[in-house]
Amino acid sequence: MKSRGLLTKDSGYKLLSFLMVISLWKVLTLHFSPLIVPTMGSVLAEIHKILTSPDLYAMIPLTAGRLLAGLSLGVSLGLVLGILMGNFSQVKGVLSPLIGIMQTVPPVSWVVLALVWFGFNGKPAVFIVILSTLPVITINVCTGFRRIDKNLLEMACLYRFSKVKRLRHVILPSILPYFKSAFQIALGSGWKIAVMAEVLTTSDGIGGMIKLGRLNVEPESIIAWSILVVLLFYLSDFLIGKFLFRKEKNYAATP
């Protein structure tokens, strides 16, 4: 009963937040021209047009594919580097400055370089997602690795666990919460950065459609595509939490 109450309360907060956004939007439409703040009806009509037009709908999986490619490479490299940095202080000393550089260089600078290296196509978007994902995953996995309970490691040595068994039963379960948090951050920023890179480097994908809406002075199109990006983030976050991280609860519940 308690969990149901919390769920209802949480749903109520989300509904209140949604109603606040809708109310503010409605007020703004009363004071500004549709060229500045389009009506909700025009935006909903644009969303319907996108979802029912094959040419427009095809832009969604195009962006999702670039995001998936960038996340897959960035997460894989970040996981490996994070474990190496957490396990070997020498590796951490060498790689930490490089990770810091990747963190601090503005994404726009990487976009300009990616244009020089890859040209005006979808590759810069993949490249930027990799660069934005890798530092987040690496730093969090390294932190999680260094905070593993030493008693667990000593117990693994006492029972003569192999390296593979130690990795599977001690290390990975310990760093999973850190990895999950980092992945959720990377997923959210990944959608934004992938779309931004498309706006600046290509004429297709969701970013390309947003750029087209700007050139044609169609704010309802820009807002409609932006809403779809938000919905896609929540959908992907839900699916990943449901299927990729579903074992975390079982592990946490194990006595």
Side-chain angles (χ1 to χ4, degrees), residues 2-244:
K2 185 178 181 180
S3 59
R4 291 182 180 178
L6 291 174
L7 181 61
T8 303
K9 188 176 182 180
D10 184 57
S11 301
Y13 286 141
K14 291 179 180 179
L15 178 60
L16 178 61
S17 177
F18 176 75
L19 292 176
M20 289 174 63
V21 172
I22 295 299
S23 299
L24 177 60
W25 189 353
K26 181 63 177 179
V27 171
L28 291 176
T29 59
L30 297 175
H31 293 84
F32 294 95
S33 165
L35 289 177
I36 300 176
V37 183
T39 63
M40 286 180 279
S42 64
V43 172
L44 291 175
E46 189 66 24
I47 292 175
H48 180 267
K49 176 184 174 182
I50 292 170
L51 297 179
T52 56
S53 301
D55 292 339
L56 294 176
Y57 184 80
M59 298 298 107
I60 297 176
L62 193 58
T63 298
R66 290 166 180 164
L67 173 67
L68 179 61
L71 279 177
S72 299
L73 291 172
V75 169
S76 300
L77 290 173
L79 185 59
V80 172
L81 293 179
I83 291 176
L84 289 175
M85 290 173 62
N87 196 27
F88 303 103
S89 57
Q90 299 90 339
V91 176
K92 185 176 185 296
V94 173
L95 294 182
S96 288
L98 300 178
I99 299 298
I101 292 173
M102 294 175 65
Q103 261 195 313
T104 53
V105 173
V108 174
S109 299
W110 290 120
V111 169
V112 175
L113 289 173
L115 282 174
V116 176
W117 295 336
F118 304 113
F120 287 88
N121 49 52
K123 294 179 181 178
V126 177
F127 177 72
I128 302 304
V129 172
I130 293 173
L131 290 182
S132 66
T133 301
L134 193 149
V136 176
I137 299 295
T138 300
I139 292 173
N140 279 271
V141 169
C142 177
T143 301
F145 195 98
R146 289 183 168 270
R147 292 183 179 177
I148 295 175
D149 190 346
K150 293 182 179 179
N151 293 326
L152 292 177
L153 294 175
E154 292 176 358
M155 183 180 68
C157 291
L158 180 64
Y159 285 95
R160 297 182 180 180
F161 279 18
S162 64
K163 291 183 179 180
V164 174
K165 195 173 182 180
R166 187 184 308 175
L167 177 67
R168 180 178 178 183
H169 295 285
V170 178
I171 296 175
L172 291 182
S174 297
I175 65 175
L176 181 60
Y178 296 90
F179 174 74
K180 180 182 178 182
S181 298
F183 190 89
Q184 289 176 323
I185 294 172
L187 180 64
S189 62
W191 277 108
K192 294 187 294 184
I193 290 175
V195 172
M196 179 203 71
E198 287 179 338
V199 169
L200 299 174
T201 65
T202 186
S203 59
D204 56 16
I206 295 176
M209 296 302 99
I210 290 177
K211 180 169 66 175
L212 184 62
R214 176 182 65 83
L215 294 175
N216 294 335
V217 194
E218 297 175 341
E220 67 276 5
S221 177
I222 298 173
I223 294 177
W225 282 108
S226 300
I227 290 174
L228 288 176
V229 171
V230 174
L231 295 176
L232 287 168
F233 162 70
Y234 280 113
L235 176 62
S236 57
D237 185 56
F238 170 78
L239 292 176
I240 289 170
K242 187 76 173 178
F243 298 103
L244 186 60

